[in-house]
Amino acid sequence: MKIGDKSYRSIWLNRDGWSVDIIDQTLLPHDLGIRTLKSVEDAAGAIRSMQVRGAPLIGATAAYGMALAMRTQADDGHIERAAGMLLATRPTAVNLRWALSRMTEMLHPLPPNERSDAAYELARFICDEDVDINASIGRHGHELITKMWQDRSGKSGAFNILTHCNAGWLATVDWGTALAPIYRAHDSGIPVHVWVDETRPRNQGAALTAWELKAHGVPHDVIVDNAGGHLMQHGLVDLCITGTDRTARNGDVCNKIGTYLKALAASDNTVPFYVALPGPTIDWDMADGVAGIPIEERDPGEVTEVQGRLASGETGMVKITPDGVTARNFAFDVTPARLVTGLITERGICSASEQGLISLYPEEGKKESR
Amino acid sequence: MKIGDKSYRSIWLNRDGWSVDIIDQTLLPHDLGIRTLKSVEDAAGAIRSMQVRGAPLIGATAAYGMALAMRTQADDGHIERAAGMLLATRPTAVNLRWALSRMTEMLHPLPPNERSDAAYELARFICDEDVDINASIGRHGHELITKMWQDRSGKSGAFNILTHCNAGWLATVDWGTALAPIYRAHDSGIPVHVWVDETRPRNQGAALTAWELKAHGVPHDVIVDNAGGHLMQHGLVDLCITGTDRTARNGDVCNKIGTYLKALAASDNTVPFYVALPGPTIDWDMADGVAGIPIEERDPGEVTEVQGRLASGETGMVKITPDGVTARNFAFDVTPARLVTGLITERGICSASEQGLISLYPEEGKKESR
């Protein structure tokens, strides 16, 4: 996507052919900073500190992290050490495990002197594939929005879509998952308006989604995470679309904390609630998302302190709680499949159920239950 | 309640016998500032700027605002001007209208030279009455918690209560509504632990409720407003109690934006959801809360900027959105009665329904439907 006149991805290989650049998302929206990753430690640090975030981008960064690891040391032990270090960065997104398995399964059979080149090649492929997947999610989601827009032809005003967190191009390599259909709908002339949940504690909605939508010229309003229910109750939301960090075999979706609350409100007000996801976020081994998906608990400082731009123009923090007050910081929640109207994947739209998922990914249905 | 060793109410008449002091709640939790109101304009400004907030305290401040108005000019026209100015400050809380009606109905029949003294007397009475009401809500809510605590005797650990916004002593003249039962339960030895929703956009939970609970020694953790659903899904909430700014005749409750989302999660996970309210927040003329209660929309700057303590120790703001991004700021939402397990009033606990309310306030049932 474009920033000003220049096209960007969220991660790219440098012209030197080995170091990897990322947009440091902890500096957005106030500063656009590019950071160069030169080692697997750099890659793991960028994921852990959320300079890169979003399930698909975490996977892509981990793939390049393996390539950076193989460049300096390509023995079997280092494959395992590097993969272990990267896997330990974030517990919830399944793309991380998926990308690392794909890398290690490819690398192990190769002679060590071929591993670095092969790792770079596969990392590049994983990135390109993510872009294709998201472009395809965008097409399927656009069809859905077009149909809904045509069906409500009697109603005037904008077509209001509510989204939570950032599942835009910054969360992926390009295009985004939940935002890809929105970009396409806007480009095709549908008068889309987006309600952007600010998405505490890290405000990825207020900081990243709003920044993306503004850059692309999509009308939007940032709201607090508390507001979605009121809007849906009063007919001000036509459709919800979010991303997911892990989709269980039963259709349960694990996404940024608060997604479940919005899905409850959508269900209570019969607003369609769709989740956009690339195939690699499906965890076919996870039978029950609510019961099984591990939920990352992060530093309470993310709750008690808020980052933004100070009056001076610099980026800084304010503490919102009194001294001595304790806090807890759960990063994700799981929305039960029963609250999800449908899943928008690169292969089309299906119901949020094992049957629905297998209808689009029949090769997984044929595998033995694991 | 106490701040350190000193007992405070949230509003009080000064020793000079006419000026009124308030705790400026926009400075909390980092600074304890007392502000003196010397005119009806001061009182209206304090309500509008949310130096005082919380339905009962807004009512009490408006009552003293009328007294300040009568002190300088006690003719009929000034009664109406002063009441009109105060009524225009906030549209949602019904206590404001209730306190002003009570003042104006009392004042009009009196000769002008008696109005000032009578206004001060009634304002003082309204404050004392609020304290009595909340003490009584605390007793009834404490009985409820005691019973629930005894019923779960097999389960170890704390008794977890989730609350939203601040319905503590700072929202009332003293004691609070939703927090009054919690204070009493804690004091009686029940191992209460409170999940404190930070309550964006103005963070009354993180700033005020956390400050109150810490001062009283009640164990608590601040969470983002997004987290309640996850906690309830995993059995980490035994009971929800919130306040309400206006209760409709049908039992619908209008409270801080986001209350509806927590009530949906409570319902989805069969967690009891109680609302604590003093009689004056019942709007007997409002037949249907969802359809009829006007929802205040406030300055979008409350969404895009967050106040807190800077690294320097001073109070300041950070802007969380990029320049040029728009926002909307709905201050309240309405939770339908069907999601409310019960209403805790000064007269006891009833179902959230017209029948339930009239069982406790039979004098209202006898009035003609208005």
Side-chain angles (χ1 to χ4, degrees), chain A residues 29-30 198 200 214 220-222 225-226 233 260 268-269 308-309 319 321-323 326-328 334 338, chain B residues 29-30 198 200 214 220-222 225-226 233 260 268-269 308-309 319 321-323 326-328 334 338:
Chain A
H30 303 300
E198 62 172 343
R200 283 276 290 148
K214 182 173 169 283
H220 61 273
D221 280 295
V222 174
D225 301 306
N226 282 324
Q233 203 178 44
Y260 167 46
D268 200 44
N269 296 285
R309 202 182 55 201
K319 185 154 188 241
T321 49
D323 286 335
T326 52
R328 295 282 293 275
V334 178
R338 66 185 149 85
Chain B
H30 302 301
E198 62 173 343
R200 282 277 289 149
K214 182 173 168 282
H220 62 273
D221 280 295
V222 175
D225 301 306
N226 282 322
Q233 204 178 44
Y260 169 45
D268 200 44
N269 296 285
R309 202 183 54 203
K319 185 154 187 240
T321 50
D323 285 335
T326 52
R328 296 282 293 274
V334 178
R338 66 184 148 87

Side-chain angles (χ1 to χ4, degrees), chain B residues 70-84:
Chain B
M70 290 304 97
R71 187 175 170 266
T72 51
Q73 195 182 338
D75 58 279
D76 285 9
H78 199 53
I79 293 178
E80 291 313 308
R81 275 195 303 282

Side-chain angles (χ1 to χ4, degrees), chain B residues 144-369:
Chain B
L144 172 75
I145 295 171
T146 304
K147 185 162 184 325
M148 289 184 69
W149 170 245
Q150 287 165 347
D151 287 352
R152 54 154 266 187
S153 56
K155 219 172 135 193
S156 66
F159 186 84
N160 288 298
I161 302 176
L162 184 141
T163 192
H164 191 66
C165 198
N166 173 262
W169 71 267
L170 290 168
T172 63
V173 178
D174 207 352
W175 274 109
T177 54
L179 295 195
I182 293 173
Y183 288 130
R184 285 189 185 268
H186 171 80
D187 292 348
S188 75
I190 296 171
V192 168
H193 167 267
V194 184
W195 296 112
V196 181
D197 279 355
E198 62 173 343
T199 319
R200 282 277 289 149
R202 292 181 65 100
N203 291 334
Q204 292 95 331
L208 306 180
T209 299
W211 182 81
E212 281 195 28
L213 293 174
K214 182 173 168 282
H216 200 82
V218 182
H220 62 273
D221 280 295
V222 175
I223 50 173
V224 295
D225 301 306
N226 282 322
H230 170 70
L231 295 175
M232 293 188 223
Q233 204 178 44
H234 290 273
L236 296 168
V237 180
D238 294 295
L239 170 66
C240 299
I241 312 182
T242 73
T244 165
D245 290 77
R246 192 187 302 206
T247 308
R249 194 179 182 99
N250 68 347
D252 290 354
V253 289
C254 180
N255 191 43
K256 185 61 51 199
I257 191 84
T259 303
Y260 169 45
L261 293 170
K262 305 313 140 49
L264 283 166
S267 170
D268 200 44
N269 296 285
T270 57
V271 173
F273 189 95
Y274 280 86
V275 176
L277 59 110
T281 71
I282 306 167
D283 183 352
W284 295 98
D285 295 335
M286 180 62 66
D288 179 328
V290 173
I293 296 177
I295 301 297
E296 176 178 8
E297 191 172 348
R298 295 179 60 85
D299 185 344
E302 293 183 350
V303 175
T304 58
E305 298 190 85
V306 178
Q307 178 179 297
R309 202 183 54 203
L310 302 166
S312 65
E314 286 165 61
T315 297
M317 310 282 277
V318 290
K319 185 154 187 240
I320 61 166
T321 50
D323 285 335
V325 156
T326 52
R328 296 282 293 274
N329 183 14
F330 305 91
F332 300 91
D333 63 20
V334 178
T335 300
R338 66 184 148 87
L339 301 175
V340 178
T341 311
L343 303 174
I344 309 173
T345 79
E346 72 275 18
R347 297 196 187 174
I349 298 179
C350 68
S351 69
S353 65
E354 180 167 358
Q355 198 184 10
L357 284 168
I358 287 176
S359 74
L360 295 182
Y361 300 87
E363 68 277 20
E364 297 291 340
K366 286 172 200 147
K367 287 183 194 167
E368 251 181 81
S369 186

Side-chain angles (χ1 to χ4, degrees), chain B residues 81-160:
Chain B
R81 275 195 303 282
M85 182 196 304
L86 290 160
L87 190 63
T89 51
R90 302 284 306 273
T92 301
V94 78
N95 307 53
L96 178 60
R97 197 181 72 197
W98 167 87
L100 290 171
S101 301
R102 204 161 158 189
M103 294 297 286
T104 55
E105 282 167 24
M106 178 277 292
L107 288 169
H108 271 304
L110 293 181
N113 66 345
E114 293 178 16
R115 285 174 176 170
S116 176
D117 284 352
Y120 274 102
E121 195 183 339
L122 182 53
R124 204 180 300 121
F125 179 81
I126 285 175
C127 288
D128 289 344
E129 185 185 54
D130 181 64
V131 178
D132 289 344
I133 283 174
N134 298 328
S136 192
I137 288 173
R139 281 189 294 273
H140 293 299
H142 178 209
E143 276 174 37
L144 172 75
I145 295 171
T146 304
K147 185 162 184 325
M148 289 184 69
W149 170 245
Q150 287 165 347
D151 287 352
R152 54 154 266 187
S153 56
K155 219 172 135 193
S156 66
F159 186 84
N160 288 298

Side-chain angles (χ1 to χ4, degrees), chain A residues 161-174:
Chain A
I161 302 176
L162 184 142
T163 192
H164 191 67
C165 198
N166 174 262
W169 71 268
L170 290 167
T172 63
V173 178
D174 207 350

